Amino acid sequence: MSQPVTTNPLIIMLINMTVVFLVLIALGVVINLIHMIDPTKPKTAPKEEVVEEAPAVEAPAAEPVTAPVEEGISPEVVAVIAAAVASMGYGAGSVRAIRPLERNNWKNSGRIQGRG
């Protein structure tokens, strides 16, 4: 029996894929069994069904923007910056100061790259 059983690449591929997926399914079953018989899981008493619905929690109102506005910065720009900071998880009150830079880096970066 020194010759291979088959040399058809499609049959070899199907056999290999079948073996791989069967092993993956077996691993999934083993993981589910481990989760079911987990000895480290805390034991909890059966909970009684609660018929009452919990009151809906309303989101806190947005804090008004009280950052000092310097000359040349419109209140709309301050509001947009505070909203961007708030969207990252910080409070709008964490904006201490907004100072414009005197450099024209945005304008110059396009010129340096040959776009302007």
Side-chain angles (χ1 to χ4, degrees), residues 5-102:
V5 176
T6 181
T7 58
N8 188 350
L10 292 177
I11 293 177
I12 294 172
M13 180 196 67
L14 287 176
I15 292 171
N16 288 338
M17 288 183 68
T18 303
V19 169
V20 167
F21 281 109
L22 288 176
V23 168
L24 287 174
I25 291 170
L27 285 174
V29 169
V30 168
I31 289 172
N32 284 335
L33 286 174
I34 290 173
H35 283 291
M36 289 170 44
I37 59 172
D38 186 15
T40 61
K41 184 171 36 174
K43 303 200 182 224
T44 58
K47 297 180 182 177
E48 295 180 11
E49 293 184 22
V50 178
V51 179
E52 295 179 25
E53 291 184 14
V57 178
E58 295 181 17
E63 299 174 7
V65 178
T66 58
V69 179
E70 295 182 14
E71 292 181 22
I73 300 177
S74 67
E76 291 86 10
V77 172
V78 173
V80 168
I81 292 172
V85 170
S87 71
M88 295 303 294
Y90 299 99
S94 61
V95 177
R96 301 277 185 248
I98 300 172
R99 292 182 293 272
L101 295 175
E102 298 300 324

